């Protein structure tokens, strides 16, 4: 029998819960740890792995495990690590493993008997197919450890300033610093900006009493400042750690600014993509559902890495049982649920949908338990109704939250149909909720959805209206009205956060306002480039002075200068300007509708499920090649089938 | 302000869950670890501690913690370990702490600001008064560690046998072995019996490749055998570890056998009492609810240690949420619930009752969720309906389980009344259940409760009938009938396990059959002494040969020779022969009704809550002194009030 490859196995979801907690415990601020401020679900400490085989031949195998336990073969017990001989015939194997400080997991090496998804994992309450990861397939590995690729990096400049030495690595580094110094010990001040590094009081990270032998914690920075030191007294380097995920996309155009935006966005996104999508590398380094939701949009246009989505979805959600909303935020729970549907759209991965469905069900049950007589979702005392950092009328139930809930009902209905169940219940709930949204929140006079109807203020903000279009809740007439009365109405308070700006741009692009969107991309992200950004920031306000621009949340260096959601141009360019999108789940069919009118030249690649699309535009000719069947090229109302490997060339001129 | 003593604090119940898991992961068998085979509840990894003070004076304090986190004082953050200065006035302190590998806990040292039960612990879902323990009151301690008292012990004999050397420590040792040897390495075979140690293939513990430097895992044994070794080539010693709990009782009589039974029972009980009541020191070292339930009976007659009860109760139960029965056994869940009431009877500790009540509620809710139309509790597919290792008709719902459920309803009703709530609901449930027990399980013709009514077999075993008397379910007439038709009926299969034998003896003693019970004690426990026991066994069958007597569960050395329930004579003697018992919770009033007729001399002490009773009997005079008010001496229908410190002397002769 051919050897199959073995994998480390664990209780499904627990790898993500364990590492998610490790990740959410990574935050550090000015010398102290800052564990995330929400309830942390726990991985299982005591797991039983089982499988039965019908062996055709005698076989030897051994079980390697992280933890303490035993192997039982047809009722006889063996130690871990022991070579176990089995006779041909029916063979029932049980491996019991406890581990209080890490993830209990095993690796089984035999020729037929090998650990993989065919094994069951049992926490003595529930028995499920074991969890695995492509990252852990070697016996010598330990799934409790994350293996980063490491790269030694050196500063590109060094200068004497303010009585100390400032090093500029000219890039964001996320790693450990090493010094060579003639001084007995030095202090290192870190900065994503030079201002931060030079501010020895307020810089976010500072390490005192550093010697050549100091083992220094991994941190993110671009600049290092060593106060009270002469240039010749110190040298430094760093070991930058990055999590290896292949970049499958390419973007090159005649617009150098756009090229640079794409490239810096790529750098930003790569840095914020580890085992999970985190918000930023300096601060918080936590897994936030809202931030991750936007990262899911970018992923198919850069990595097309299904695994990081799955890991993030599982880490955010934790165990099935749920009483607290994800990150304590009600809208983040709803976005989580919607993200599962988006992931399905990207991957057509029914197995994952099936694995995660019970957790979707428990979450929607929680949400339904907090709805009122109109079916509107309200926040409980302990809940955070976030939506955005902005002035919004949050009296009683609010519109934006109901838009998300409606999308969640639709997601539940669709997911159930995909899993062969009937989703009618949620179709009805969605219809009822939609009726009430229109009745209570649509304001015909204002031509828009109002935030709250309970207050009587009829306040209009962009948020609920953006969601209404994004999730296809508003009809065509309403959409036109929203465009006029909200999106292009200067009297409606502007979106001030990049988080919600993304949704606004997505909606504008979806509605075809591609000129406006491109203009904004170039102004907003181009503006950061002009400020010297090597990665994109958590927030950018063009009018802020240098003194103010690194501050946030009342902290002079509170702003994260390498923040995942800064990478959204990758999505916008890939989705709307190169025009690639699936038209059936998992790109079974997909569309390529590029917009050459914005470019003179293009030489781009966009990944798709199991393949890629090359798009180039040179001298008025657009060439599109997909390395997989299923695609169609659309332009100016015309369509061309994309056959595998065949280049379709279309003349295009303005 | 006077300095109060500080204590380590944690999320309440988590210390017990953490150490309970450690305990349940301690089992070892023939070279492999054997984690307990049930769902393990998890301690919280992320905890927030809070308290507000009105400081009259300025104050300095520092926070020590096991984990990573920070201290926030009126909104300003500090590192752990840092000395923090506070001005007088309102001071709000928050300590956030994460710990993935151990118990997050803190110790705060200031003059007013100190960690104790006045702090709240919050797992970001629920905020409760912090947990503490008298065991952890010093900054230098770590609540993740158990501090045992250590004692170096040496073998009392050494002999050359079977080509090796056999050491006899003449007592049970629970600790680590050290060797001095001229050989490069040796093998150590452990035995609770010499037979076990000498059986180099089947002894339960064996350590190979031992050198003088080997750090050897803690194990329980009396004998060590070093095969293939000459007497002059080896010396050994051990560091015995015991958990310090004061013995407050004393038993000395003219009956040397009884004295020895009491003394060996004491030794057995002490060895099996650590942070928790475990079943045995060699095997399983797990916390079993049924075993613990019997240990709770002995505790007030030996240690009167309230804390070990509380720790065991909390460890067994885990978190509030419950889906699996304790140790997977339905009757063990019910015994757990009853034990809370017993603990209240012993201690009148309303605070603990209040702390644990939510967990009682969740447990009884689980039980009720698996009752049928008659209110009878049935086992779900995953449940173990244990009762005892014996032949019993377990068709459908069984009588013994309903007796326990009835007692649980009564416990719920009483507990709710004690906590100032109305327990009527459970009074009604109890009445309804009792009615149905009588209707379906009482067999007038057999004069006994039958195991099952569904099978139609009308099989009678002792178990349900014993519970019916123990829990005052049977009326007087039924009780008499049970005595005649069951307890003293040789046609009813004898109880074969010491576990259930205890309940039988308790019932017989309760009914006044003290001659019979004493006779059985002397035969059963006296029999073990005659076999050379230095601690009491898990099971004793007088007719077994030496070849068989150490075997159990199909393992030739599977029997535990130092097993907690072997200590029950301490309870029987204290409760029925010295006659001490509380008549109001916490011994607010208590009774001493000794039975001098069984003795010529007595010189005994029995602890009571906050005190003790000395009982002596010399030359026909019984002298009883309580060092606390509230007691009454009862004998032969007469009563004497026991005033604090006053010796009551009563002439007694047969």
């Amino acid at each position: 029998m051919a050897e199959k490859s073995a994998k480390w196995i664990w209780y499904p979801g627990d790898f993500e819960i364990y590492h998610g907690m490790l990740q959410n415990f990574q935050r550090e601020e000015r010398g102290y740890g800052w564990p995330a401020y929400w309830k942390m679900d726990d991985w299982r400490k005591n797991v039983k792995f089982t499988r039965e085989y019908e062996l055709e031949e005698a076989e030897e195998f051994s079980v390697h495990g992280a933890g303490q336990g035993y192997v039982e073969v047809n009722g006889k017990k063996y130690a871990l690590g022991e070579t176990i001989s089995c006779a041909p015939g029916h063979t029932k194997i049980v491996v019991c493993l406890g581990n209080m400080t890490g993830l209990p997991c095993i690796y089984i090496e035999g020729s037929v008997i090998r650990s993989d998804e065919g094994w069951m994992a049992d926490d003595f309450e529930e028995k499920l197919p074991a969890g695995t990861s492509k990252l852990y397939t070697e016996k010598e590995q330990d799934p409790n450890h994350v293996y980063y690729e490491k790269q030694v990096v050196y500063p590109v400049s060094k200068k004497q300033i303010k009585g100390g030495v400032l090093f500029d690595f000219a890039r964001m580094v996320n790693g450990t610093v090493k010094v060579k110094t003639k001084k007995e010990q030095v202090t290192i001040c870190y900065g994503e900006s030079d201002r931060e590094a030079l501010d020895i009081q307020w810089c976010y990270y500072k390490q005192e009493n550093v010697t050549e032998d100091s083992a220094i914690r991994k941190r993110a920075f671009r600049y290092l400042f060593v106060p009270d030191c002469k240039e010749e007294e110190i040298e430094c380097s760093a070991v930058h750690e990055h999590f290896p995920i292949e970049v499958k996309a390419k973007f090159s155009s005649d617009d150098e600014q756009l090229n640079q935006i794409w490239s810096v966005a790529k750098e930003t996104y790569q840095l914020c993509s580890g085992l999970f999508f985190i918000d930023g590398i300096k601060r918080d380094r936590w897994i936030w559902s809202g931030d991750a939701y936007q990262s899911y949009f970018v992923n198919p246009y850069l990595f097309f890495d299904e695994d990081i989505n799955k890991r993030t979805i599982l880490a955010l959600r934790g165990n099935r049982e749920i009483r607290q909303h994800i990150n304590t935020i009600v809208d983040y729970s709803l976005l989580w649920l919607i993200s599962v549907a988006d992931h399905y759209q990207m991957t057509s991965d029914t197995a994952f949908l099936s694995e995660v469905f019970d957790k979707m069900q428990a979450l929607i049950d929680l949400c339904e338990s907090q709805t009122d007589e109109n079916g509107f979702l309200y926040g409980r005392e302990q809940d955070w109704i976030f939506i955005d950092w902005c002035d919004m009328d949050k009296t009683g139930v609010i519109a934006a939250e109901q838009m998300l809930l409606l999308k969640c009902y639709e997601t539940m209905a669709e997911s159930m149909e995909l899993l062969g169940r009937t989703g009618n219940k949620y179709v009805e709930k969605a219809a009822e909720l939609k009726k009430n949204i229109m009745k209570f929140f649509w304001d015909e006079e204002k031509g828009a959805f109002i935030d709250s109807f309970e207050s009587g203020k009829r306040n209009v903000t962009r948020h609920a209206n953006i969601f209404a279009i994004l999730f296809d809740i508003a009809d065509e007439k309403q959409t036109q009205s929203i465009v006029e009365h909200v999106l292009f109405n200067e009297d409606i308070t502007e979106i001030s956060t990049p988080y919600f700006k993304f949704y606004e741009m997505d909606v504008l692009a979806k509605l075809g306002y591609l000129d406006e969107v491109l203009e904004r991309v170039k102004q907003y992200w181009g503006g950061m480039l002009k400020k010297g950004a090597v990665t994109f920031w958590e927030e950018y306000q063009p009018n802020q002075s240098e003194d103010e621009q690194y501050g946030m949340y009342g902290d002079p260096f509170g702003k994260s200068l390498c923040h995942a959601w800064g990478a959204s141009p990758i999505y916008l360019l890939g989705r709307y300007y190169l025009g690639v999108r699936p038209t059936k789940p998992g790109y079974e069919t997909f569309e390529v509708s590029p917009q050459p009118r914005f470019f003179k030249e293009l030489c781009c690649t966009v990944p798709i499920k199991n393949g890629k699309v090359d798009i180039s535009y040179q001298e008025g000719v657009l060439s599109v090649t997909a390395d997989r069947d299923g695609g169609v090229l659309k332009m100016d109302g015309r369509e061309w089938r994309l056959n595998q490997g065949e280049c379709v060339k279309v003349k295009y001129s303005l």
Side-chain angles (χ1 to χ4, degrees), chain A residues 252-255 596 599-604 616-619:
Chain A
S252 172
S253 76
D254 58 295
D255 185 330
F599 307 96
K600 290 201 186 74
E601 289 187 0
L602 281 173
C603 181
C604 304
S616 77
Y617 179 56
Q618 305 276 344
E619 299 175 357

Side-chain angles (χ1 to χ4, degrees), chain A residues 50-59 61 72-76 78 85-94 112-113 127:
Chain A
T50 54
R51 185 158 180 181
E52 301 189 30
Y53 289 91
E54 293 297 336
L55 294 180
E56 290 175 16
E57 298 172 28
E59 151 115 20
F61 73 99
E72 194 181 284
V73 182
N74 291 335
K76 185 170 181 326
Y78 303 86
S85 302
C86 293
H90 188 78
T91 307
K92 183 178 173 183
I93 308 174
V94 177
V112 174
I113 300 171
K127 194 171 165 177

Side-chain angles (χ1 to χ4, degrees), chain A residues 96-111:
Chain A
C96 285
L97 200 73
N99 185 339
M100 284 182 68
T101 56
L103 181 74
C105 50
I106 58 169
Y107 186 93
I108 305 183
E109 232 188 358
S111 62

Side-chain angles (χ1 to χ4, degrees), chain A residues 172 192 264 267-268 271 528 532-537 561-563:
Chain A
M172 286 294 176
E192 284 191 315
V264 169
E267 174 78 1
T268 306
L271 284 164
M528 282 189 263
V534 292
T535 49
F536 288 126
W537 305 354
L561 300 191
C562 177
H563 218 70

Side-chain angles (χ1 to χ4, degrees), chain A residues 201 213 216 224 372 418 436 456 461 482 540 544 572:
Chain A
Q201 188 188 353
D213 298 328
I216 304 179
L224 297 176
D372 67 12
L418 286 166
N436 282 334
T461 54
I482 290 169
Y540 167 59
Q544 281 188 325
L572 295 169

